[in-house]
Amino acid sequence: TKNTAFSVEILGNQCAPMQYVRELTQNSIEAIKEKGERGQILWTFDRQIEDRAGTRKLCIMDNGAGMDGEDIRNLMNRMFSSGKQQGLTENYGIGAKVAGLHRSPLGMIYQVWKEGNGYVGQLMKNPDKNEYGLYQYPEEDGSLSPYQELEDGLMPQKKRCTITDSGTQVTLLGKYEDEDTYL
């Protein structure tokens, strides 16, 4: 989408203050339905980020169908994409991206697992270019990739939500580095 920043900002201004919670929760519900098993959803804070910076960052976890690295590339880096049927009475494919990025322009970290393999990607606003997109991770060969593989899958084990072979964790970084998005 040309001028994605304008689209995110204009649509984000129309979102209710807590709409990102609804959109991310709905995505988790749909991922669990897609997997076809009883699932779990947990809103908490990302302990990995909290331990590093001392500031809590809100996250949602589910043990739904999950995604792989190519899903991150294809679904997160395009404004109007959901991987599902789109239509006026269906999924628009922009809700979590718009509501989340409007609330958290520093980024939304997607840690995803599918068939036991883990990947991470960060959807964010590039402040230098005033554009939204996936952070580009440097590869050993000098190229750039919109995702990285997680070592040994690094599957989170939380008290009320355990990701065993597939699932998603989305962490909201906020508007500034030391913002406690958990509050």
Side-chain angles (χ1 to χ4, degrees):
T1 305
K2 188 175 181 179
N3 200 358
T4 306
F6 176 75
S7 299
V8 169
E9 289 163 14
I10 203 80
L11 292 171
N13 280 329
Q14 296 175 19
C15 292
M18 298 293 289
Q19 188 167 342
Y20 67 99
V21 172
R22 182 251 182 242
E23 299 296 339
L24 289 166
T25 301
Q26 184 63 35
N27 287 356
S28 290
I29 290 167
E30 290 175 15
I32 289 167
K33 285 181 178 178
E34 182 181 330
K35 190 173 180 182
E37 299 174 11
R38 185 180 169 100
Q40 299 171 317
I41 299 171
L42 174 65
W43 279 97
T44 186
F45 61 92
D46 188 323
R47 282 161 176 77
Q48 292 175 316
I49 292 176
E50 189 263 344
D51 290 343
R52 275 195 317 248
T55 304
R56 296 177 302 178
K57 301 295 182 178
L58 180 66
C59 73
I60 183 172
M61 298 173 57
D62 69 64
N63 58 359
M67 294 187 279
D68 60 25
E70 286 304 307
D71 290 332
I72 290 175
R73 177 192 317 266
N74 294 325
L75 298 176
M76 297 300 115
N77 212 31
R78 295 189 177 124
M79 181 68 160
F80 295 97
S81 61
S82 72
K84 299 174 184 72
Q85 177 68 35
Q86 290 180 300
L88 294 177
T89 59
E90 304 291 334
N91 185 310
Y92 291 174
I94 61 170
K97 286 181 258 188
V98 168
L101 284 171
H102 181 69
R103 180 86 176 160
S104 184
L106 283 184
M108 298 166 59
I109 298 175
Y110 282 80
Q111 293 180 69
V112 298
W113 296 267
K114 192 170 192 175
E115 298 173 6
N117 298 308
Y119 305 88
V120 63
Q122 182 175 337
L123 188 58
M124 60 181 282
K125 182 177 185 178
N126 181 330
D128 298 330
K129 296 182 178 181
N130 195 33
E131 295 175 350
Y132 288 90
L134 285 168
Y135 174 79
Q136 298 297 300
Y137 297 93
E139 296 288 325
E140 289 180 13
D141 64 3
S143 65
L144 298 173
S145 175
Y147 62 87
Q148 286 186 321
E149 285 190 49
L150 293 172
E151 291 181 28
D152 300 324
L154 289 176
M155 294 183 190
Q157 306 295 314
K158 304 286 191 228
K159 194 174 188 179
R160 292 179 14 226
C161 183
T162 300
I163 296 174
T164 54
D165 65 336
S166 66
T168 301
Q169 177 175 309
V170 180
T171 303
L172 289 97
L173 299 179
K175 293 181 179 172
Y176 47 91
E177 214 169 295
D178 61 349
E179 179 182 8
D180 186 337
T181 60
Y182 184 67
L183 291 177

